[in-house]
């Protein structure tokens, strides 16, 4: 639980599961200069990354986001988080007409997997999945959670009640103690990771660079695709680790991950099986099926 402007702290954190303020790590106060230490060499940059993602709570929570990692500040922000997962598809849409001579030629040569219509259909599917993650997996499950789990009553053990911002000081309730599945885990594992991984794997299942006459493009494009995908996957997993370690209980993380399987499992079945029940979907998004050649 993060508190703004508490005492003389620039920001402060409370361990809601501690029994008293005197407990080790129960109250963490970050000073005014917590995020201001300059990063002037490789060692300091590396140490900041380690501290931020896996250091002791009193260090990790007061360490600013490592600016040496591009995009780390935009993982959960709109529209950046949407654009990031669409990068492989956008790369294909930009480079394919340059390599092949245009989308019109694609249709004439019976290569529907590369047609602009199929690429737009796949983009539409990704957008619908991202909306489903936001309104279905988060809003709906959060609503169900709120009506099914009663707030924990405020009593003598709610030692931090007076430290909360006024909007959270609800009479008779101890804010922060009730079960709250990790919406960030849902975001990372139902939005960021599965979508960019799915599109990157699809790019190798239906490569678009192999028709280029330039050897440099045939090497550079898959290299950029792999490295950018691995980087986004890496910083997403690091952010998920930080969320799980400092902000949620194991149960809340597990439930969040189980909710994300509602996206992961169908995508895995579409990409990795040849079952006829997925043939219509695979054709719609441009995946090859047994009866057709790329």
């Amino acid at each position: 639980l993060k508190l703004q402007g508490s005492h003389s702290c620039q920001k402060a954190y409370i361990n809601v599961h501690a029994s008293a303020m005197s407990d080790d790590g129960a109250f963490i106060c970050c000073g005014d200069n917590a995020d201001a230490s300059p990063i002037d060499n490789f060692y300091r940059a590396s140490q900041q990354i380690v501290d931020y993602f896996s250091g002791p709570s009193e260090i990790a929570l007061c360490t600013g986001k490592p600016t040496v990692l591009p995009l780390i500040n935009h993982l959960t922000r709109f529209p950046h988080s949407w654009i990031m997962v669409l990068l492989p598809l956008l790369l294909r849409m930009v480079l394919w007409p340059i390599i092949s001579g245009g989308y019109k030629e694609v249709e004439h040569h019976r290569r529907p997997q590369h047609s602009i219509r199929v690429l737009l259909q796949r983009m539409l599917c990704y957008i619908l999945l991202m909306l489903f993650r936001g309104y279905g997996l988060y809003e709906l499950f959060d609503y169900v959670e709120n009506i099914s789990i009663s707030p924990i009553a405020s009593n003598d053990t709610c030692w931090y009640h007076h430290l909360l911002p006024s909007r959270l000081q609800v009479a008779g309730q101890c804010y922060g103690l009730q079960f709250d599945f990790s919406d960030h885990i849902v975001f990372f594992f139902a939005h960021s990771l599965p979508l960019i991984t799915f599109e990157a794997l699809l790019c190798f299942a239906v490569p678009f660079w192999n028709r280029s006459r330039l050897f440099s493009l045939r090497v550079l494009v898959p290299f950029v695709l792999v490295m950018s995908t691995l980087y986004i996957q890496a910083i997403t997993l690091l952010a998920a680790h930080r969320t799980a370690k400092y902000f949620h209980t194991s149960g809340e993380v597990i439930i969040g991950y189980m909710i994300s399987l509602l996206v992961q499992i169908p995508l895995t079945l579409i990409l990795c099986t040849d079952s006829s029940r997925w043939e219509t979907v695979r054709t719609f998004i441009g995946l090859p099926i047994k009866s057709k050649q790329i």
Side-chain angles (χ1 to χ4, degrees):
L1 184 65
K2 178 180 176 181
L3 309 178
Q4 294 287 356
S6 175
H7 297 275
S8 60
C9 308
Q10 182 188 28
K11 57 183 178 180
Y13 295 86
I14 284 175
N15 181 356
V16 298
H17 298 288
S19 58
M21 192 169 182
S22 57
D23 290 358
D24 186 33
F27 183 82
I28 297 174
C29 176
C30 302
D32 293 336
N33 296 321
D35 297 336
S37 57
I39 304 301
D40 53 11
N41 58 58
F42 177 78
Y43 173 77
R44 290 182 64 85
S46 302
Q47 189 60 48
Q48 185 192 35
I49 294 173
V50 172
D51 289 343
Y52 180 77
F53 288 111
S54 61
S57 298
E58 62 273 12
I59 295 178
L61 295 176
C62 295
T63 299
K65 289 184 178 180
T67 56
V68 294
L69 295 178
L71 302 178
I72 191 67
N73 291 321
H74 306 293
L75 281 176
T76 58
R77 294 179 182 176
F78 179 84
H80 310 82
S81 60
W82 286 44
I83 295 173
M84 271 191 279
V85 300
L86 294 175
L87 280 177
L89 180 60
L90 296 174
L91 183 67
R92 176 191 286 269
M93 295 178 74
V94 170
L95 291 181
W96 173 248
I98 299 174
I99 292 173
S100 66
Y103 286 114
K104 188 175 181 180
E105 179 186 338
V106 172
E107 297 289 355
H108 290 165
H109 284 76
R110 299 180 182 179
R111 298 173 67 86
Q113 288 87 355
H114 301 290
S115 70
I116 186 63
R117 177 178 59 82
V118 168
L119 297 183
L120 291 175
Q121 287 173 179
R122 190 152 76 244
M123 179 179 287
L124 174 63
C125 290
Y126 292 149
I127 292 173
L128 290 175
L129 279 175
M130 289 187 277
L131 290 173
F132 171 68
R133 190 280 312 168
Y135 291 101
L137 301 188
Y138 174 63
E139 296 288 351
L140 178 61
F141 277 89
D142 190 57
Y143 173 76
V144 172
E145 180 183 70
N146 289 336
I147 63 175
S148 60
I149 299 178
S150 301
I152 295 179
S154 176
N155 50 43
D156 293 338
T157 62
C158 195
W159 56 271
Y160 57 85
H161 186 77
H162 67 285
L163 297 173
L164 295 172
S166 56
R167 62 184 177 83
L168 300 180
Q169 293 185 18
V170 181
Q173 295 183 16
C174 191
Y175 179 85
L177 271 180
Q178 66 271 23
F179 184 89
D180 181 27
F181 75 87
S182 176
D183 57 298
H184 276 74
I185 292 297
V186 176
F187 183 89
F188 294 142
F189 289 97
H191 177 116
S192 306
L193 287 173
L195 297 187
I196 193 171
T197 302
F198 183 91
E199 180 60 30
L201 292 175
L202 193 150
C203 283
F204 282 93
V206 188
F208 59 92
W209 54 81
N210 53 0
R211 292 188 66 194
S212 174
R213 297 177 181 179
L214 297 176
F215 175 77
S216 56
L217 274 181
R218 295 199 301 270
V219 174
L220 183 61
V221 172
F223 176 78
V224 170
L225 176 64
V226 169
M227 297 307 296
S228 59
T229 300
L230 289 178
Y231 175 75
I232 293 175
Q233 289 175 330
I235 60 174
T236 300
L237 288 172
L238 285 172
H241 169 75
R242 176 179 165 86
T243 295
K245 184 171 183 178
Y246 302 114
F247 297 104
H248 286 280
T249 64
S250 298
E252 292 168 345
V253 171
I254 291 172
I255 294 299
Y257 183 79
M258 291 177 66
I259 292 173
S260 75
L261 293 177
L262 294 174
V263 170
Q264 292 187 53
I265 291 176
L267 288 180
T268 301
L269 292 175
I270 292 170
L271 185 66
C272 300
T273 67
D274 290 321
S275 173
S276 59
R277 71 182 63 181
W278 298 107
E279 185 171 314
T280 301
V281 177
R282 291 169 65 90
T283 302
F284 184 79
I285 65 173
L287 268 170
I289 56 179
K290 285 183 175 181
S291 58
K292 298 180 180 181
Q293 297 298 321
I294 299 173

